[in-house]
Amino acid sequence: MKNIYLYAPQNSVAEHWHKALREPFETVSRLSYEAEKADGVWVVQYQPDQPPEGLTQLLAQQQPVLLLSNQPSEPEGLTWLRRGIRGYLNSFAHADVIAQAISAIRQGNIWVGQNIMQALIQGLSSDDMPPAGDTSWRERLSQREIETVEAILQGKSNREIAQAMQITERTVKSHVHHILEKLEAKDRLNLVIKIQNWHKFAL
């Protein structure tokens, strides 16, 4: 299991995470890549008024970073996701959300809020992207699952999909779970990327 390295200069944030983390972790006083810590998940409080060199160095070394923000915003989250962070979270998130985020990142997934995930998907599925030439992925899914994928490609949330398909959100979640399993995708973002490049995966 990957270790957790916590960088939280603000006392209130550090105290919150000390109480919320449900497993051992190591507090670090500065951000610097060290080979012996290459097996960890870095939990980093972002400070907009401070130089980001340490954070940039971790990302350059492809370290999994969960970035914390006291005032999370879609533009900030998207900017750092494009730079390579694996997760973006409110500094004072609930303990259950913290556990889920760390678990997802350990599994190689991305953890972000729904609005940011939708913005990422919409960016990947925008009109200026070339249409996927291979649609053989549809053969693996039921008709309702195909409809769910098409809605995901439009950047729709589970609630919006449920309303459009006149089903419950629980049913949508079930469809999404089965879709990810059948198409061997880690999460919704990975699903969109795979479908956009299905000709490579179908060989």
Side-chain angles (χ1 to χ4, degrees):
M1 180 179 290
K2 291 186 175 182
N3 297 323
I4 297 175
Y5 301 109
L6 174 65
Y7 175 76
Q10 185 179 341
N11 288 338
S12 58
V13 174
E15 290 173 5
H16 175 76
W17 278 75
H18 285 199
K19 294 176 182 178
L21 282 169
R22 297 171 175 171
E23 58 183 284
F25 62 93
E26 179 180 336
T27 300
V28 296
S29 58
R30 64 189 181 91
L31 294 178
S32 62
Y33 174 74
E34 299 172 19
E36 62 268 22
K37 293 182 179 179
D39 64 341
V41 173
W42 291 80
V43 178
V44 178
Q45 180 189 1
Y46 178 56
Q47 295 180 293
D49 58 339
Q50 298 293 324
E53 283 84 359
L55 175 57
T56 301
Q57 183 188 22
L58 290 179
L59 297 177
Q61 295 294 334
Q62 298 184 333
Q63 295 302 296
V65 173
L66 172 58
L67 193 66
L68 311 181
S69 177
N70 288 9
Q71 296 181 312
S73 68
E74 187 175 304
E76 182 181 84
L78 289 172
T79 294
W80 283 102
L81 281 162
R82 293 188 178 106
R83 294 184 185 180
I85 66 169
R86 300 299 300 173
Y88 183 66
L89 199 60
N90 189 304
S91 297
F92 300 96
H94 189 276
D96 289 342
V97 176
I98 288 171
Q100 292 169 15
I102 291 175
S103 175
I105 291 171
R106 280 181 169 145
Q107 295 171 34
N109 298 331
I110 290 175
W111 181 274
V112 293
Q114 187 177 77
N115 290 341
I116 294 176
M117 180 64 79
Q118 286 179 244
L120 284 170
I121 290 173
Q122 287 170 345
L124 287 171
S125 305
S126 60
D127 294 336
D128 57 354
M129 288 285 290
D134 190 332
T135 59
S136 59
W137 55 268
R138 294 170 178 264
E139 298 170 5
R140 304 188 183 190
L141 308 179
S142 70
Q143 184 56 43
R144 294 299 264 176
E145 289 168 348
I146 291 172
E147 292 176 29
T148 302
V149 170
E150 290 173 342
I152 289 173
L153 290 172
Q154 296 169 19
K156 291 184 177 179
S157 66
N158 284 352
R159 178 175 296 181
E160 291 170 331
I161 295 172
Q163 292 174 344
M165 295 176 63
Q166 297 184 331
I167 55 179
T168 65
E169 284 190 59
R170 183 174 181 179
T171 301
V172 174
K173 290 179 181 178
S174 177
H175 286 334
V176 172
H177 175 75
H178 291 138
I179 290 164
L180 296 180
E181 281 192 338
K182 291 180 180 180
L183 299 185
E184 299 178 2
K186 295 178 180 180
D187 49 43
R188 293 164 86 107
L189 184 60
N190 183 237
L191 173 68
V192 173
I193 293 171
K194 290 193 77 168
I195 289 175
Q196 290 285 358
N197 298 275
W198 192 257
H199 60 286
K200 298 178 183 178
F201 296 95
L203 297 177

